[in-house]
Amino acid sequence: MSSLFSRAGSVSERRRLLASISFVALSSCFGFSASAQDASPPAEEGTPSANSSSVPLPSVVVSTQQKKKPTTKKKKVVQSPAAEASENPTVVGNNGNETDATNESRETNPSGLNLSKPATSGSRLGLTPLETPASVEVISGETIRERGQTSVVDAVTQNAAGFTSTASPGNGGTGLATRGFSGHGSVMQLYDGTRMYVGSGTVTFPFNTWTADRIEVLRGPASVLYGEGAIGGVINVVPKKPTDYFVNEAEVAVGTDFSRRIGLGSGGPINDRLSYRIDVAGEQSDGWLKQEGEFQNLALSGAVKLKAAPGLTFTLSNDYGYQEPLRYFGMPFIDGRMDKRIRFKNFNVEDSEVRYRDNWTQFKTEWQANDALTFRNTAYRLTSHRHWRNIENYAYVSNLADPHYGQIKRDDYIEIYHNQEQIGDRFDATLRHSLFGMKNEVVAGFDVNKINFLHSNNSPYSGTSWVNPYNFNSGSFYDPINLPPTVASFKTDTFQYSLFAEDRLAVTEKLALVGGIRLERPSIERMSLITGKGFDKDFSAVSWRAGAVYTWQPGLAFYGSYSTAVDALGNLITLSQAQVPFDLATGRQVEVGVKQDFWNGRGEWTFAAYDIVKKNLLTQDPNNSQITQQVGQQSSRGLELSAALQLTDTLRAEGNIAVLQAQYDEFWVNGVSYAGKVPTNVPQQVANLWLKWNFAPRWDLIGGVRWVGTTYNDQANRSSRPDYVLFNAGIDYAVTENSTLSVRGYNLTDEIYATGGGANSDGSTRSWTLGRPRSAEVAYRIKF
């Protein structure tokens, strides 16, 4: 595999990468190659756990005033997060940072549902999940790394209730589904509270969990907080942040398929006003496929925080990601069945390409004018450069009369480039005061941005080749004759502004009312670079949410909410001419639930019931398939249960289950009604269970089980992927008080399962995109 570093463009770009000298030194010993294109320094870490696991990784904590000794190993004491919060009062900012009385964040319990940990994904007021009338989860970085989840998709799907992956190289490898809705157009992804608008159904950052302090998950409509494109839910990856204590950490791992991983992180004070955080993570593997199966990535994250004056802080951060993910588009069925002989074959061409290069720069200002009033502002510039060059469609030739009978037909020779830049600013002010004798908190602000998007391709996609299923030469992308040239196809300029407000009124000590509203006005201009023709379109939408939380007793809360949402017709910034006559899709949700933190913090559980309806789907006229109309409707209703319990001092269990009924209520394709059919890529049942057993001093055994129900490939529900069960396990040994050696196994039963699929015109299954087979790795992690 050629080196990523060798592809760096300018000398200055290489010098920026070489600034991470420690990474270069270690990676050269490790044999890792990386790209320096647009490389920029790295971003934040969550803090040492107050409730460490039975095999802890305590850091040596050093303050600027006094040096502390390393923590000593002792039996875990389980304490209520609420009790810890009372011992370390917090001030919460809208970027999700909570600061204790000495100014910096200290992670409480790294396990569990974190119901009493402030989270901003469900509210701009920094409410805890117990205070929020919505389904909010906080997955700590310690939990993610303890379970060996190196990708954001794995961390979300294996820990959060009701999430499944729809990831493929085509959508950036990060697509998700929840509550009956799937894809980037309905399940939004944020990084540190900021979203990049979706271009052609693709989001490519963030992808690595090493730089994450935590991942916050909100299930259900979130347009009132983040705008269009979040009717199913939101995930927010919160990076590690600068700290006023020193912490350094490193991890190195090797595994099957010659997989190698490395992660380095450092943070602490530079002086009494300035602190930093820097992280580097890289991965490289030959992959589990026999042809063209290698992949690699690099993530750099850095931030500097300045306490300019009492109550006034500035934070400058930059995050860079480079990926060459798996270039795999599935395994074709042979004679209507899966043939295990081609399970590990990749039918893509030898010179296929999938490359993503993302860079996120953010400048945050927070000013706490007094105890009642806080101002926050985030200015940002986000860029993404993506390249695909692949054959993406494979089908077995079963017609005896066809001269290519018994071969795999490969077509759709596709080459696409994306160049995207988003510049924006988000401002809000929070006021905490008394209203008619009742405690009231209100936040109001605006979000404005401009997105420039350039799309290049070789449309119309053509080119066809045939190969023997069992023994073939992958060939080259340029083998077919007369492929259309790859040229700049179209560009769009999108300008969006929104106004938002949220309020929480404590009517009594037990009852609180929470409401919010958002007005957004996106405007899109699209120009064809081939014909010179174009169009412009203005949208307007208002989303709102109203809810109540009743705290029956400390740690036990009942809630209910009604919320509305809007989704784009496809993707906002790549709106097509055919979609211009129509408005944004709209939706609403009714949700009720209960949350409890009990047994002095040893147990937590949540239960939610919801009903969602999404209207104004684009469908075909039942009397004329050439006419598109906006009358379609899709609905979903379901139940979700999550629980975490410290059963004994040495045994802990965490799990969740989601069951739902999703369907098209009104939907026509080619004059055929699909009412009552289940939407594609939406399983009706999903469950996770994790157990951790400290079976001996210094030893932990960790096991996880995941069940995903049957999923349909097509809208008529004639082609499906069966349910599957995955078993993951690991064993940790505390080599020292500050280091751990881990052995992890994934898909222990070597289950053959599909994460995606396609159907033929007759409704039969054409292909499956298979998940990772059985694999293992050995990892060593240290904090110092």
Side-chain angles (χ1 to χ4, degrees):
M1 184 187 304
S2 62
S3 169
L4 294 178
F5 180 75
S6 65
R7 300 187 185 102
S10 66
V11 173
S12 62
E13 287 176 329
R14 300 186 182 185
R15 287 177 177 172
R16 289 205 300 271
L17 181 64
L18 290 173
S20 301
I21 298 176
S22 59
F23 171 70
V24 175
L26 285 174
S27 61
S28 62
C29 296
F30 194 62
F32 184 87
S33 60
S35 170
Q37 292 182 342
D38 285 359
S40 304
E44 140 188 294
E45 159 74 309
T47 57
S49 167
N51 287 342
S52 61
S53 67
S54 49
V55 183
L57 291 173
S59 61
V60 179
V61 181
V62 182
S63 72
T64 54
Q65 291 84 20
Q66 179 182 356
K67 185 175 292 185
K68 296 183 180 180
K69 297 180 180 179
T71 57
T72 56
K73 184 180 180 70
K74 55 185 178 182
K75 184 177 289 187
K76 178 179 180 178
V77 177
V78 179
Q79 185 180 15
S80 164
E84 294 181 43
S86 65
E87 293 176 6
N88 298 292
T90 63
V91 175
V92 183
N94 80 322
N95 59 2
N97 304 333
E98 66 271 10
T99 60
D100 61 24
T102 62
N103 272 335
E104 293 302 336
S105 71
R106 300 278 170 163
E107 185 177 8
T108 56
N109 190 353
S111 301
L113 307 180
N114 292 294
L115 295 180
S116 298
K117 183 182 179 68
T120 58
S121 297
S123 169
R124 295 188 184 277
L125 293 169
L127 305 179
T128 69
L130 274 174
E131 299 169 322
T132 306
S135 294
V136 181
E137 294 180 61
V138 180
I139 310 167
S140 73
E142 288 299 311
T143 294
I144 293 169
R145 286 179 276 277
E146 181 181 77
R147 296 172 181 174
Q149 298 155 347
T150 58
S151 75
V152 171
V153 168
D154 282 349
V156 172
T157 57
Q158 295 177 21
N159 296 320
F163 278 84
T164 54
S165 171
T166 63
S168 73
N171 68 18
T174 58
L176 294 165
T178 188
R179 291 198 171 181
F181 301 89
S182 64
H184 292 302
S186 294
V187 182
M188 186 182 295
Q189 299 187 32
L190 313 173
Y191 186 69
D192 204 14
T194 299
R195 68 175 290 194
M196 171 175 271
Y197 280 77
V198 176
S200 298
T202 303
V203 172
T204 53
F205 188 87
F207 57 90
N208 190 290
T209 58
W210 174 260
T211 64
D213 171 64
R214 63 188 183 275
I215 298 178
E216 299 178 353
V217 173
L218 169 64
R219 297 188 301 277
S223 293
V224 69
L225 294 168
Y226 306 109
E228 56 79 26
I231 197 168
V234 165
I235 69 164
N236 180 22
V237 180
V238 182
K240 301 169 183 177
K241 296 282 198 303
T243 54
D244 66 353
Y245 58 90
F246 287 110
V247 60
N248 300 287
E249 56 185 333
E251 182 178 41
V252 61
V254 294
T256 51
D257 304 317
F258 195 43
S259 299
R260 295 91 77 195
R261 274 194 308 109
I262 189 170
L264 298 170
S266 177
I270 298 174
N271 54 44
D272 59 352
R273 290 191 175 187
L274 195 63
S275 56
Y276 77 97
R277 177 72 202 192
I278 185 168
D279 285 278
V280 183
E283 182 179 15
Q284 194 173 48
S285 176
D286 288 352
W288 52 273
L289 295 167
K290 293 182 179 179
Q291 294 113 335
E292 289 70 60
E294 66 274 11
F295 60 88
Q296 55 189 338
N297 59 62
L298 171 69
L300 305 174
S301 178
V304 177
K305 180 178 180 179
L306 173 65
K307 299 177 183 178
L312 177 62
T313 61
F314 301 103
T315 303
L316 175 64
S317 64
N318 196 89
D319 297 89
Y320 170 84
Y322 182 89
Q323 299 181 70
E324 292 185 14
L326 189 64
R327 308 178 311 281
Y328 171 64
F329 290 85
M331 179 199 72
F333 269 36
I334 296 179
D335 289 330
R337 62 182 177 84
M338 180 184 67
D339 191 329
K340 293 183 180 180
R341 290 176 293 177
I342 62 172
R343 177 186 179 187
F344 299 106
K345 291 186 179 295
N346 188 352
F347 288 88
N348 209 340
V349 286
E350 185 176 358
D351 56 348
S352 58
E353 292 280 2
V354 180
R355 300 177 189 272
Y356 308 134
R357 182 160 47 90
D358 297 271
N359 201 79
W360 290 47
T361 304
Q362 300 189 77
F363 181 71
K364 298 191 174 186
T365 302
E366 180 168 351
W367 177 38
Q368 187 169 344
N370 51 49
D371 292 340
L373 187 60
T374 303
F375 300 95
R376 304 174 190 86
N377 191 81
T378 300
Y380 54 85
R381 178 179 182 266
L382 319 176
T383 63
S384 186
H385 303 280
R386 311 170 187 128
H387 179 211
W388 297 266
R389 187 178 67 219
N390 307 277
I391 308 178
E392 299 188 7
N393 188 33
Y394 322 125
Y396 178 72
V397 181
S398 58
N399 185 356
L400 291 172
D402 194 306
H404 298 289
Y405 168 74
Q407 295 183 307
I408 303 297
K409 179 183 179 181
R410 307 186 303 179
D411 53 20
D412 282 354
Y413 280 65
I414 296 175
E415 183 167 42
I416 297 174
Y417 288 90
H418 285 179
N419 290 286
Q420 182 174 344
E421 179 188 52
Q422 178 176 324
I423 299 174
D425 190 88
R426 184 173 63 254
F427 170 85
D428 67 69
T430 302
L431 176 64
R432 294 174 171 86
H433 64 114
S434 178
L435 181 64
F436 305 116
M438 297 175 288
K439 181 180 178 182
N440 190 64
E441 300 171 271
V442 60
V443 58
F446 65 83
D447 192 352
V448 58
N449 52 65
K450 188 177 188 302
I451 306 105
N452 300 317
F453 182 82
L454 174 65
H455 181 101
S456 302
N457 62 21
N458 65 331
S459 179
Y461 307 124
S462 60
T464 302
S465 59
W466 294 266
V467 294
N468 185 297
Y470 310 106
N471 184 20
F472 62 91
N473 184 337
S474 299
S476 168
F477 182 84
Y478 301 103
D479 284 344
I481 300 175
N482 296 326
L483 276 179
T486 301
V487 297
S489 175
F490 70 88
K491 68 175 183 176
T492 64
D493 294 316
T494 304
F495 178 77
Q496 185 275 148
Y497 75 86
S498 60
L499 305 173
F500 56 83
E502 184 179 1
D503 186 86
R504 180 181 185 270
L505 178 66
V507 179
T508 68
E509 291 185 357
K510 293 186 175 182
L511 177 63
L513 304 179
V514 180
I517 190 168
R518 179 185 178 103
L519 165 67
E520 58 184 316
R521 294 286 181 88
S523 176
I524 302 99
E525 295 180 0
R526 175 166 170 156
M527 174 66 69
S528 171
L529 300 178
I530 297 175
T531 66
K533 297 180 180 180
F535 63 83
D536 57 81
K537 173 73 173 183
D538 297 327
F539 292 100
S540 178
V542 176
S543 304
W544 59 274
R545 178 178 71 180
V549 179
Y550 184 75
T551 305
W552 180 268
Q553 62 186 38
L556 174 61
F558 297 86
Y559 72 92
S561 65
Y562 183 95
S563 53
T564 67
V566 290
D567 272 3
L569 305 174
N571 302 117
L572 185 66
I573 69 172
T574 51
L575 187 77
S576 69
Q577 180 69 59
Q579 297 166 333
V580 169
F582 306 106
D583 296 322
L584 298 172
T586 60
R588 61 91 179 142
Q589 175 188 262
V590 178
E591 179 177 346
V592 295
V594 59
K595 309 174 187 181
Q596 186 177 20
D597 177 353
F598 65 98
W599 202 3
N600 294 323
R602 295 176 70 96
E604 297 172 288
W605 70 281
T606 68
F607 173 78
Y610 63 88
D611 182 276
I612 305 176
V613 174
K614 180 179 179 179
K615 298 181 179 180
N616 297 327
L617 305 180
L618 293 183
T619 71
Q620 292 178 333
D621 189 311
N623 300 314
N624 188 342
S625 62
Q626 302 303 312
I627 299 176
T628 299
Q629 55 187 3
Q630 192 173 34
V631 296
Q633 179 174 303
Q634 178 180 340
S635 66
S636 176
R637 55 193 56 85
L639 306 173
E640 297 165 342
L641 176 66
S642 300
L645 185 62
Q646 189 75 36
L647 299 167
T648 69
D649 287 344
T650 59
L651 181 62
R652 182 173 184 83
E654 298 181 20
N656 52 66
I657 184 169
V659 294
L660 62 90
Q661 179 184 356
Q663 66 179 31
Y664 294 117
D665 300 315
E666 184 178 356
F667 199 72
W668 295 83
V669 177
N670 294 328
V672 178
S673 173
Y674 287 163
K677 300 299 184 181
V678 179
T680 59
N681 296 316
V682 176
Q684 305 281 60
Q685 310 88 18
V686 183
N688 294 299
L689 176 64
W690 287 95
L691 296 174
K692 181 178 180 180
W693 179 31
N694 177 214
F695 63 90
R698 293 179 176 266
W699 290 92
D700 274 346
L701 182 64
I702 303 169
V705 182
R706 174 166 173 78
W707 172 48
V708 177
T710 301
T711 309
Y712 291 103
N713 298 321
D714 68 322
Q715 295 166 333
N717 292 178
R718 294 174 296 183
S719 172
S720 65
R721 310 190 296 271
D723 67 327
Y724 60 88
V725 179
L726 298 180
F727 295 89
N728 299 326
I731 188 167
D732 290 350
Y733 174 68
V735 180
T736 68
E737 293 178 349
N738 299 330
S739 63
T740 295
L741 181 67
S742 302
V743 179
R744 302 185 180 107
Y746 306 93
N747 189 9
L748 296 179
T749 61
D750 200 26
E751 177 94 345
I752 300 177
Y753 65 101
T755 60
N760 293 309
S761 58
D762 62 0
S764 61
T765 299
R766 180 178 68 246
S767 63
W768 276 356
T769 304
L770 297 182
R772 180 170 62 171
R774 179 168 48 219
S775 58
E777 74 168 14
V778 178
Y780 180 72
R781 186 179 176 204
I782 184 170
K783 284 189 176 182
F784 55 94

